[in-house]
Amino acid sequence: MGFLVFVTVLWAFSFSLIGEFLAGRVDSYFAVLTRVLLAALVFLPLTRWRGVPDGLKKGILVSGMLQFGITYVCLYQAFSYLSVPEVLLFSIFTPLYVTLADDALNRRFSPAGLVAAAVATLGAGVIRYDGLSEDFITGFLLLQVANITFAAGQVGYKHVMARYPLPIPPWRTFGYFFFGALIVALPSFLIFGNADKLPATPTQWGILAWLGLAASGLGLFLWNRGACYVDAGTLAVMNNALVPAGLLVNLLIWNRDADIPRLAVGGAIILASLWLNSWLRVRWSGAEGRI
């Protein structure tokens, strides 16, 4: 749990830094590629190549493709359509996807997550009830892809590490995570990137360096290690701890003019969906136990 709390604080500033200094100014595909490369370079000399089961290598590789590669490509694109508070609030869906991914890997299914997701969608509509533009819908859908792949990646890492226990430190195999992300990030930049929108100021380069080395390299490693020590329910809840922390940073420092009442009402509905998800799971699991 300590790892998850530490990373939550570490990541609290990331959304605002991306939204305020990088989004619309620096090519999003280049920003993701830079983060992946810097994190990969940190773990490259630490990576163990021999004596690691192929299943473990592939599992961590796929986790990186999902949780870092696809997630961050979609996340950065979403910033082109949504404000920072909206990105944060719509990230609140991630816990629902964590529980659904965990159900899938354990070969069980509960409709509670789908019911709660419908309520959460209503909350999202409240936030932008007078502005459901095509851009907003595009950004919302991009962010949901990011939420789904982020959830699947962390649950997948947790399961693959449990399946292949090794007597070596986990940081000796985490390099495969970033190599997997590189499989997505490099072609994305080569195909869709805009070389005319590379970082132009020391501030932009500095933010990319911090995001790559600290938020990505250290943060993703500690987050995934923390995920291995908690159950899926706790992991789902911790995925939402970033939302109030990130919103507090953004609203107090950069976005004081945001429509706080509407954000509060919509956010409350989305939060209620999480309670509904938990309540329905307990109720329905209890009913199944009586049958």
Side-chain angles (χ1 to χ4, degrees), residues 113-126:
L114 297 180
V115 174
V119 175
T121 302
L122 174 64
V126 169

Side-chain angles (χ1 to χ4, degrees), residues 55 77 81 101 134 155 167 179 210 230-231 235 251 260 268-269 285-287:
Q77 288 296 310
Y81 304 99
E134 183 178 346
V155 173
F179 305 152
W210 185 86
V230 299
D231 58 44
L235 181 60
L251 294 177
I260 294 179
I269 294 175
S285 63

Side-chain angles (χ1 to χ4, degrees), residues 67-207:
Q67 192 181 344
F68 195 176
I70 298 175
T71 293
Y72 279 80
V73 166
C74 293
L75 173 65
Y76 273 73
Q77 288 296 310
F79 275 103
S80 300
Y81 304 99
L82 302 172
S83 67
V84 174
E86 287 170 342
V87 169
L88 281 160
L89 278 174
F90 299 155
S91 296
I92 210 167
F93 292 81
T94 307
L96 303 178
Y97 302 136
V98 167
T99 55
L100 289 173
D102 189 66
D103 282 350
L105 287 176
N106 286 295
R107 298 182 180 180
R108 59 175 182 253
F109 173 73
S110 170
L114 297 180
V115 174
V119 175
T121 302
L122 174 64
V126 169
I127 294 171
R128 287 290 291 266
Y129 73 90
D130 63 346
L132 293 179
S133 64
E134 183 178 346
D135 283 352
F136 171 77
I137 294 173
T138 300
F140 179 80
L141 293 177
L142 279 169
L143 195 57
Q144 295 321 298
V145 174
N147 291 341
I148 291 169
T149 53
F150 188 73
Q154 57 190 303
V155 173
Y157 179 85
K158 173 183 173 68
H159 280 255
V160 77
M161 292 301 289
R163 183 174 181 179
Y164 295 97
L166 289 179
I168 60 174
W171 46 264
R172 296 297 304 273
T173 58
F174 202 71
Y176 297 105
F177 181 92
F178 296 111
F179 305 152
L182 191 60
I183 294 174
V184 175
L186 181 57
S188 295
F189 172 68
L190 294 177
I191 297 172
F192 303 109
N194 183 357
D196 295 328
K197 295 183 67 176
L198 299 184
T201 67
T203 299
Q204 291 172 343
W205 281 110
I207 290 173

Side-chain angles (χ1 to χ4, degrees), residues 175-288:
Y176 297 105
F177 181 92
F178 296 111
F179 305 152
L182 191 60
I183 294 174
V184 175
L186 181 57
S188 295
F189 172 68
L190 294 177
I191 297 172
F192 303 109
N194 183 357
D196 295 328
K197 295 183 67 176
L198 299 184
T201 67
T203 299
Q204 291 172 343
W205 281 110
I207 290 173
L208 282 176
W210 185 86
L211 291 173
L213 298 173
S216 298
L218 178 63
L220 281 168
F221 172 68
L222 293 180
W223 182 268
N224 281 279
R225 290 312 304 158
C228 292
Y229 295 114
V230 299
D231 58 44
T234 301
L235 181 60
V237 171
M238 287 306 300
N239 267 270
N240 261 0
L242 176 64
V243 176
L247 276 173
L248 184 64
V249 169
N250 184 260
L251 294 177
L252 292 180
I253 299 177
W254 284 291
N255 203 22
R256 296 186 180 90
D257 296 328
D259 190 341
I260 294 179
R262 189 185 302 173
L263 286 171
V265 173
I269 294 175
I270 296 174
L271 281 172
S273 74
L274 297 178
W275 171 84
L276 179 63
N277 178 56
S278 177
W279 182 78
L280 287 175
R281 284 177 177 273
V282 172
R283 184 180 178 87
W284 288 346
S285 63
E288 291 172 358

